[in-house]
Amino acid sequence: MTGPIFDTHAHYSARAFDADRFALLDSLPDKGVVGVCEQATHSGDAPRVLELAHRYPWVVAAIGIHPESLLPAADCGEEGPAPTVSVYGGDWAAEMRALMPYYDDPKVVAVGECGLDYHWPVPKDAQLALFEAEIRLALELDKPIIVHDRQAHADVYALLKKYRPKGIVHCYSGSAEDAVQLAAQGLYIGFGGACTFNGAKRAAKAIDALPLDAIVLETDCPYMAPEPVRGTRCDSSLIRYVGAYIAQRKALEPEEVFRTTAANARRVFGL
């Protein structure tokens, strides 16, 4: 058994886990998993996220609106638009108000997943306004924020510098220099399976530059399974490969990486 593994970013409410969600989650403690932060991306999956958090003592929740949830129907796949569009007509402020009661639940430990995603055709002005509102909410609630940043480094970092929230920059893909500056602000840097991929040079440099006390581990499951199981459905137990990779880069024992990053996760979530 490997551990203690704390997965700071998972999506067990995703359809990929429909058939065996509970069986898989039941199995994780025997694989060294001591904590999971399950992420909501809009009001539609928030109830499922809370269901998992209340079913398992070691699961906590982050509730927020992902920038991809602003995608118009014409740009969505078979699943169609998120409730942000299909229910609220793109009025993310109304959806945020509808989500407010969730933050009174003690199992909700963070605001997120939220941020900026310039890969998808979502208007930047709407994304920026939503992300800024969610940062302000996190500060108001004194909760950490889970930051999504895809092809939007400059704008994400500018807002984080302006407001200085606590939280995690999820699936970090920026430079080593920026990672060090974000950590100096008190933010934690999240690394998952993508950091083990061949060609992930920027992630390697960021890992080398950061102290272990600034790093947390994640999966983004069911996505981004690490090497050597890349291409399979990801789950929290596969963090063992990420921890081993970071340990190798830092010339540490994997157990030290797991122990320290699990303590970091508990600290940022106030557990």
Side-chain angles (χ1 to χ4, degrees):
M1 183 179 75
T2 301
I5 292 169
F6 201 119
D7 183 354
T8 60
H9 199 108
H11 296 281
Y12 287 105
S13 56
R15 287 189 176 183
F17 293 111
D18 278 353
D20 61 351
R21 179 176 297 132
F22 298 127
L24 176 57
L25 283 160
D26 288 341
S27 75
L28 291 179
D30 288 337
K31 298 174 182 176
V33 178
V34 298
V36 170
C37 187
E38 175 74 357
Q39 310 283 320
T41 56
H42 49 65
S43 57
D45 59 16
R48 296 194 297 274
V49 167
L50 259 293
E51 177 190 8
L52 297 179
H54 283 284
R55 183 181 180 113
Y56 297 98
W58 40 272
V59 174
V60 293
I63 301 293
I65 305 173
H66 191 288
E68 195 175 329
S69 296
L70 293 167
L71 271 174
D75 296 308
C76 296
E78 294 180 359
E79 294 186 12
T84 315
V85 171
S86 64
V87 176
Y88 293 94
D91 185 353
W92 53 262
E95 187 175 25
M96 281 186 68
R97 289 192 293 272
L99 288 171
M100 282 304 294
Y102 285 98
Y103 296 107
D104 293 329
D105 191 311
K107 294 290 284 191
V108 177
V109 298
V111 176
E113 175 184 1
C114 56
L116 301 176
D117 192 319
Y118 292 169
H119 174 77
W120 296 106
V122 176
K124 288 185 180 181
D125 288 349
Q127 291 194 56
L128 286 161
L130 170 58
F131 184 35
E132 187 166 13
E134 292 189 282
I135 293 175
R136 292 170 67 93
L137 175 63
L139 292 170
E140 178 186 332
L141 298 173
D142 192 27
K143 291 183 185 292
I145 194 163
I146 311 297
V147 178
H148 174 94
D149 170 15
R150 189 177 188 187
Q151 300 175 11
H153 300 326
D155 288 345
V156 167
Y157 301 161
L159 283 170
L160 293 177
K161 183 177 181 180
K162 176 180 178 180
Y163 286 102
R164 303 183 74 84
K166 57 188 177 183
I168 296 170
V169 182
H170 148 65
C171 194
Y172 186 74
S173 60
S175 70
E177 294 77 13
D178 285 333
V180 170
Q181 289 182 10
L182 291 166
Q185 287 183 212
L187 290 159
Y188 290 84
I189 311 299
F191 293 100
C195 78
T196 70
F197 296 169
N198 294 332
K201 307 294 187 190
R202 285 163 69 87
K205 290 178 180 178
I207 290 166
D208 292 346
L210 288 165
L212 192 57
D213 285 346
I215 292 173
V216 292
L217 305 184
E218 58 179 48
T219 56
D220 205 22
C221 69
Y223 317 107
M224 292 194 295
E227 300 288 359
V229 293
R230 185 177 181 180
T232 66
R233 187 187 66 174
C234 194
D235 70 67
S236 301
S237 70
L238 300 184
I239 279 180
R240 66 184 183 274
Y241 295 113
V242 180
Y245 173 76
I246 292 174
Q248 181 182 22
R249 294 207 64 86
K250 290 189 168 294
L252 299 170
E253 290 298 321
E255 290 302 313
E256 181 176 351
V257 172
F258 293 127
R259 193 166 50 247
T260 301
T261 55
N264 295 345
R266 292 189 180 101
R267 188 177 306 112
V268 71
F269 294 137
L271 303 175

